[in-house]
């Protein structure tokens, strides 16, 4: 071993370790969005106004990246619009509205039902075969979801809140499906930070029309909000949502996927739901029953299997293996790695930046 090798070590292991660290930071950052948002909602802000503040604030911070990658407006307009409508506006609005009615952890676990919905679309709408592993993932996710919402007790959770959580899952699935039709696998992949930046800008425009922020209770931001009995400045919570749970979360998520395979990143991303549930337990006093915890584990396991299953080989018929995702988004959101066709890392990395999660 040369002196240089002794000093530098193994660059592959170093890069991978750094990528794992970034992925963990991303999962932690995304997982805290609901914990910071719920006190603002309970203090009087409409959920849509909180979403607008989050998206508009992040769009403002990411504006330099939008200018740098302005060519995307001409090259990939459909991708940008799809990301803005589904991965930003749709997912965030449904998720934040859901946590105003049901626990944060439950809402995020329901959102993880998105990959199962994608596979249902592939199997029953596109009439394509899915791999056995992906089918097992769907079954686990469905069973886990039933346990999370406690179907045996007649949906003890607010039914509207559960439907809003499912709406977030549908929006997440919609972006995966759109990603499957975003050009050929051989096309040059758009820059992930550019996709995120324009998605946030488009989401801001859409949410401005829907949320009408001019009627917002701005005094909530200048006052304090209660976090399980502790008063926290509204502006501090907003800064957490914009800078930590959005800008930092998306940024570290993008660069982690560049250093890891989407499959590895998807494993780490499952920690987002765990982080959200634990933080809500500690900081908001939202306790989950044992069956819900077990159900949540099944949802995460099912989502992981559905996302990371490898496509089978068939000379005559394509086999869908489920979306490969690095997380976000949600909110975020699970990062939208929506490569449904299994056509290589070039396609996966095209959408690695877009985390349609909370």
């Amino acid at each position: 071993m040369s002196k240089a090798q002794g000093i530098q070590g193994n660059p592959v292991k170093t890069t991978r370790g750094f990528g794992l660290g970034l992925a963990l930071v991303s999962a932690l950052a995304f997982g805290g969005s609901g914990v910071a948002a719920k006190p603002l909602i309970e203090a009087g802000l409409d959920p849509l106004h909180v979403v607008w503040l989050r998206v508009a604030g992040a769009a403002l911070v990411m504006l330099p990246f939008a200018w740098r990658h302005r060519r995307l407006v001409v090259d990939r307009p459909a991708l940008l619009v799809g990301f803005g409508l589904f991965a930003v506006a749709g997912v965030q609005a449904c998720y934040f509205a859901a946590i105003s009615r049901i626990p944060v952890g439950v809402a995020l676990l329901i959102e993880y039902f998105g990959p199962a919905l994608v596979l249902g679309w592939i199997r029953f709408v596109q009439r394509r075969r899915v791999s056995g592993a992906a089918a097992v993932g769907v079954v686990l996710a469905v069973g886990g979801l039933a346990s999370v919402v406690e179907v045996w007790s007649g949906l003890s959770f607010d039914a509207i809140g559960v439907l809003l959580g499912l709406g977030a899952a549908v929006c997440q699935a919609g972006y995966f499906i759109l990603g499957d039709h975003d050009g050929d696998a051989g096309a040059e992949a758009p820059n992930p930070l550019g996709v995120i930046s324009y998605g946030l800008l488009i989401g801001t425009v859409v949410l401005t029309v829907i949320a009408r922020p001019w009627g917002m209770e701005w005094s909530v931001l200048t006052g304090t909000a209660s976090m399980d009995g502790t008063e926290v400045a509204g502006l501090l919570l907003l800064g957490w949502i914009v800078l930590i749970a959005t800008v930092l979360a998306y940024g570290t998520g993008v660069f982690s996927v560049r250093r890891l395979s989407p499959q590895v990143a998807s494993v780490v991303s499952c920690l987002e739901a765990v982080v959200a549930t634990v933080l809500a337990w500690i900081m908001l006093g939202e306790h989950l029953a044992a069956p819900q915890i077990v159900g949540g584990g099944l949802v995460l396991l099912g989502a992981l299997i559905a996302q990371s299953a490898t496509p089978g080989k068939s000379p005559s018929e394509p086999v869908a293996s489920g979306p490969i995702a690095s997380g976000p988004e949600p909110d975020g959101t699970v990062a939208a790695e929506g490569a449904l066709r299994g056509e290589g890392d070039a396609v996966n990395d095209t959408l690695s930046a877009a985390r349609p999660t909370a």
Side-chain angles (χ1 to χ4, degrees), residues 52-151:
W52 182 86
L53 287 167
R54 177 186 189 179
V55 174
L60 185 61
V61 174
M62 299 289 287
L63 199 56
F65 294 99
W67 175 253
R68 180 177 180 180
H69 301 289
R70 55 191 179 278
R71 182 67 189 175
L72 284 174
V73 177
V74 177
D75 293 341
R76 298 295 180 92
L79 173 64
L80 301 183
V81 171
F83 181 58
L85 291 178
F86 290 94
V88 175
V91 168
Q92 303 297 340
C94 288
Y95 173 72
F96 276 42
I99 66 173
S100 70
R101 309 181 72 103
I102 60 178
V104 170
V106 172
L108 191 55
L109 288 170
I110 293 175
E111 186 182 326
Y112 265 81
F113 195 58
L117 295 177
V118 173
L119 293 178
W121 173 275
I122 293 171
R123 180 65 184 88
F124 297 108
V125 177
Q126 296 183 341
R127 297 189 179 279
R128 297 165 57 192
R129 291 188 296 116
V130 298
S131 68
V136 169
V138 172
V139 172
L140 288 174
V142 171
L145 180 62
S147 182
V148 167
V149 301
E150 297 182 326
V151 293

Side-chain angles (χ1 to χ4, degrees), residues 31-280:
S33 64
V35 174
K38 189 155 189 173
L40 291 175
I41 294 172
E42 292 179 341
L45 278 183
D46 186 276
L48 279 176
H49 290 160
V50 178
V51 176
W52 182 86
L53 287 167
R54 177 186 189 179
V55 174
L60 185 61
V61 174
M62 299 289 287
L63 199 56
F65 294 99
W67 175 253
R68 180 177 180 180
H69 301 289
R70 55 191 179 278
R71 182 67 189 175
L72 284 174
V73 177
V74 177
D75 293 341
R76 298 295 180 92
L79 173 64
L80 301 183
V81 171
F83 181 58
L85 291 178
F86 290 94
V88 175
V91 168
Q92 303 297 340
C94 288
Y95 173 72
F96 276 42
I99 66 173
S100 70
R101 309 181 72 103
I102 60 178
V104 170
V106 172
L108 191 55
L109 288 170
I110 293 175
E111 186 182 326
Y112 265 81
F113 195 58
L117 295 177
V118 173
L119 293 178
W121 173 275
I122 293 171
R123 180 65 184 88
F124 297 108
V125 177
Q126 296 183 341
R127 297 189 179 279
R128 297 165 57 192
R129 291 188 296 116
V130 298
S131 68
V136 169
V138 172
V139 172
L140 288 174
V142 171
L145 180 62
S147 182
V148 167
V149 301
E150 297 182 326
V151 293
W152 56 84
S153 60
L155 286 177
S156 60
F157 284 115
D158 186 296
I160 295 177
V162 172
L163 289 175
L164 288 168
L166 287 173
V170 169
C171 289
Q172 182 192 86
Y175 186 70
F176 281 132
I177 293 168
L178 284 176
D180 188 37
H181 298 283
D182 182 52
D184 298 327
E188 182 181 356
N191 184 278
L193 286 176
V195 175
I196 290 174
S197 301
Y198 279 102
L200 290 168
L201 287 171
I202 292 171
T204 299
V205 173
V206 173
L207 289 169
T208 298
V209 175
I210 298 174
R212 293 177 290 181
W214 46 87
M216 187 187 309
E217 291 290 338
W218 295 95
S219 59
V220 173
L221 298 178
T222 58
T224 61
S226 177
M227 182 178 283
D228 196 26
T230 301
E231 294 299 317
V232 181
L235 287 176
L236 180 61
L237 292 172
L238 178 60
W240 179 353
I241 294 169
V242 172
L243 299 177
I244 304 299
T246 307
V247 176
L248 177 64
Y250 274 120
T252 52
V254 168
F255 289 108
S256 71
V257 177
R258 292 300 178 89
R259 289 165 175 78
L260 303 171
S261 68
Q263 290 88 342
V264 172
S266 69
V267 176
V268 181
S269 75
C270 287
L271 291 175
E272 179 185 339
V274 177
V275 169
T277 302
V278 172
L279 287 178

Side-chain angles (χ1 to χ4, degrees), residues 328-344:
E329 146 212 329
D331 16 355
T333 353
V334 185
E337 324 278 41
L340 305 182
R341 297 174 298 228
E343 293 175 340

